[in-house]
Amino acid sequence: MTDVKGMTVAVLGAGTMGRGIAQIFAQSGATVRLFDVVPKALESAQGTIKKLLNRAVEKGKMSADDAAGAVERVQLVKKMDDIGTVPLLIEAATEKPETKIEILKIAEKSLEKGGILASNTSSISITQLAAETAAPDRFIGMHFFNPVPVMKLVEVVRGLQTSDETVAQTLRYAEAVGKTPVKCNDHPGFVSNRVLMPMINEAIFTLQDGVAEAEAIDEIMKLGMAHPMGPLALADLIGLDVCLFILEVLHRDLGEDRYRPCPLLRKMVQAGRLGRKSKHGFYPYE
Ligand code: CAA
């Protein structure tokens, strides 16, 4: 099995997903160059990682030394030129194709020969992103789930040009950071969001139609279906803007009415109610 101890990886984007990815690599012994254009995002990411690792120490799940070591291994990088040369680069930037392409084109210069460029995109075509890079055979989807330190899955998405070796090495990296990788092919929404988003969308239609209050919809799905959280609370965790974006991709690229985003979801996003990150979604958050 590949060991990431002593290896250096770069993570582009210090938002919810990027900081989680940085944390698990650092916890597994890798040095992480965490890049973001917004200095505040980097500081906030470092704060979150410290807090979560301290909590693990308090719960007796990790030694104080290991936690301090992991925090130290996350190096904050404000300029892409300072990333250095790395064998693995994971992009976790904003879910906008033009932003991702711009970042990937610059970042790939930091890849060592034969290195892998991975995107944590939840819905943008891996084949489309790969085609913009110099080595599409070494481009792959490495889709993590929120909260990254807790969720076991990495959906490993193979683009049309991804090589067998890139897939095999990515599976090894995911296992080395304690995750369970599952392979799938590049298709709108991959497997996870093609199945999850219609359920979330339907829950929002159910709310819009006045069938039940948000709490009741979530309680029914939690208690009746043994989901760890209801679909509306989950949408708040994922971000309503992200849910809308993914549904728009599914609707446009698969061309089926069943993926049409619920008007209430659109309204929530227009109102800036984006879920936990804006402290208000289907529920208020402190
Ligand atoms: N970051 C790190 N750890 C967290 C966390 C976070 N944001 N939230 C909770 N945890 C940890 C807690 O510290 C706790 O750890 P221990 O077991 O070590 O004590 C553990 O998770 C359980 O937390 P809680 O007891 O506080 O709460 P819970 O049992 O209700 O679990 C949950 C919270 C893990 C979020 C659970 O409700 C859950 O699994 N929800 C579903 C999440 C899900 O489906 N995520 C996928 C979203 S889709 C996506 O991300 C991809 C996409 O493309 C849209």
Side-chain angles (χ1 to χ4, degrees):
M1 195 175 94
T2 300
D3 194 344
V4 295
K5 251 185 217 130
M7 170 182 167
T8 302
V9 306
V11 177
L12 309 177
T16 309
M17 300 304 286
R19 63 186 64 178
I21 296 167
Q23 181 185 328
I24 56 162
F25 271 89
Q27 261 176 260
S28 307
T31 295
V32 181
R33 305 250 156 85
L34 178 60
F35 164 81
D36 203 293
V37 277
V38 183
K40 268 200 173 151
L42 287 173
E43 283 161 34
S44 154
Q46 195 174 44
T48 307
I49 293 170
K50 267 189 198 161
K51 197 174 79 184
L52 289 171
L53 292 175
N54 283 342
R55 213 180 282 164
V57 173
E58 281 161 21
K59 284 180 187 164
K61 296 192 167 178
M62 193 186 260
S63 75
D65 280 355
D66 285 351
V71 170
E72 245 171 58
R73 281 190 292 278
V74 180
Q75 301 173 350
L76 307 182
V77 177
K78 291 176 188 150
K79 284 191 290 184
M80 268 206 252
D81 285 346
D82 295 338
I83 289 174
T85 309
V86 293
L88 174 66
L89 209 146
I90 303 172
E91 171 277 316
T94 312
E95 202 62 1
K96 286 189 187 131
E98 59 286 1
T99 308
K100 287 195 186 287
I101 289 168
E102 196 187 324
I103 290 174
L104 290 169
K105 275 181 183 297
I106 305 172
E108 67 181 339
K109 295 182 187 128
S110 296
L111 260 195
E112 89 186 23
K113 198 168 178 285
I116 292 177
L117 189 50
S119 175
N120 178 57
T121 181
S122 48
S123 59
I124 299 169
S125 161
I126 294 301
T127 307
Q128 179 197 350
L129 293 176
E132 301 284 344
T133 68
D137 58 316
R138 284 186 276 108
F139 193 90
I140 196 160
M142 212 176 174
H143 185 204
F144 290 83
F145 291 78
N146 185 11
V148 178
V150 180
M151 307 304 285
K152 291 300 286 179
L153 177 67
V154 177
E155 197 175 29
V156 173
V157 188
R158 175 180 204 136
L160 200 65
Q161 293 158 284
T162 310
S163 71
D164 290 346
E165 177 45 32
T166 299
V167 173
Q169 185 57 42
T170 304
L171 297 176
R172 291 193 285 266
Y173 282 141
E175 282 168 359
V177 295
K179 299 297 177 195
T180 305
V182 181
K183 288 185 284 182
C184 71
N185 291 320
D186 182 30
H187 210 71
F190 317 135
V191 172
S192 55
N193 281 320
R194 182 170 175 161
V195 177
L196 174 65
M197 285 302 153
M199 182 190 70
I200 286 178
N201 203 33
E202 200 55 41
I204 304 171
F205 272 113
T206 308
L207 179 68
Q208 183 184 266
D209 290 349
V211 182
E213 300 288 336
E215 290 81 356
I217 294 168
D218 276 350
E219 203 65 356
I220 285 168
M221 297 305 288
K222 265 170 68 177
L223 300 180
M225 269 39 91
H227 289 187
M229 66 206 303
L232 300 172
L234 181 56
D236 277 355
L237 176 72
I238 293 167
L240 302 191
D241 52 340
V242 176
C243 293
L244 177 60
F245 181 83
I246 299 170
L247 280 160
E248 281 172 338
V249 169
L250 290 170
H251 192 212
R252 185 193 66 214
D253 292 354
L254 294 169
E256 304 265 9
D257 268 357
R258 64 177 190 262
Y259 301 113
R260 178 173 69 94
C262 177
L264 175 59
L265 174 61
R266 257 184 221 292
K267 243 194 283 182
M268 301 275 293
V269 173
Q270 282 162 353
R273 292 192 175 178
L274 307 181
R276 287 194 191 197
K277 63 184 161 192
S278 70
K279 309 246 183 290
H280 205 149
F282 293 108
Y283 301 96
Y285 298 90
E286 286 308 314

